[in-house]
Amino acid sequence: MAKVKKAKTRKPSQARKARKASKKAAPPKPARSGGTHVDFGVHGLAKIMTAIHNAGLGDELNAHLAGSGQFLKVRRKSLTAIKDFVKDRPQLLNLSKMIGDCDCPPDDPGCVYIPG
């Protein structure tokens, strides 16, 4: 009876596994036209919010936005610049204290606390 040699088997290397996995990955979905986020200026937002506040419609706006969330993503560099500006102006001392100290609930849309 003849002896049959068993073929050597190798474990696939990490690189081979990665190549195989990348071949199986689904292609990314195409981006939505217009995207999900927009860049919006602080000055424009301030004008809108001031006009709404002056018209006495702040509570109505809060009710209108309740389901869509009331928070914005802002670059840390911009927030730091705003915080430094406020801190250096004696006319804004009360706002500076509010920005530095916070006891608001985490979901409070009126909170002006700026971390860091």
Side-chain angles (χ1 to χ4, degrees):
M1 189 180 236
K3 237 182 181 181
V4 177
K5 278 190 169 183
K6 188 176 178 181
K8 290 184 179 180
T9 58
R10 294 188 317 185
K11 287 186 177 180
S13 68
Q14 291 290 49
R16 185 172 288 166
K17 285 181 183 177
R19 278 194 306 258
K20 195 173 185 180
S22 68
K23 288 179 184 177
K24 291 180 183 178
K29 292 181 180 178
R32 291 180 181 172
S33 62
T36 59
H37 295 85
V38 296
D39 289 333
F40 194 77
V42 173
H43 294 97
L45 183 59
K47 286 180 182 179
I48 291 169
M49 296 308 294
T50 301
I52 291 170
H53 175 73
N54 290 342
L57 299 172
D59 291 337
E60 197 173 326
L61 175 67
N62 287 339
H64 183 74
L65 293 176
S68 65
Q70 300 179 21
F71 290 90
L72 302 172
K73 290 183 181 182
V74 181
R75 290 183 178 98
R76 185 172 298 278
K77 184 177 178 180
S78 297
L79 274 179
T80 303
I82 292 169
K83 186 175 184 178
D84 291 343
F85 177 85
V86 169
K87 187 175 22 172
D88 294 340
R89 303 301 184 279
Q91 309 92 311
L92 301 174
L93 183 61
N94 289 339
L95 180 58
S96 179
K97 287 179 183 176
M98 287 172 51
I99 287 173
D101 302 324
C102 178
D103 60 355
C104 304
D107 60 346
D108 181 3
C111 182
V112 294
Y113 174 68
I114 299 177

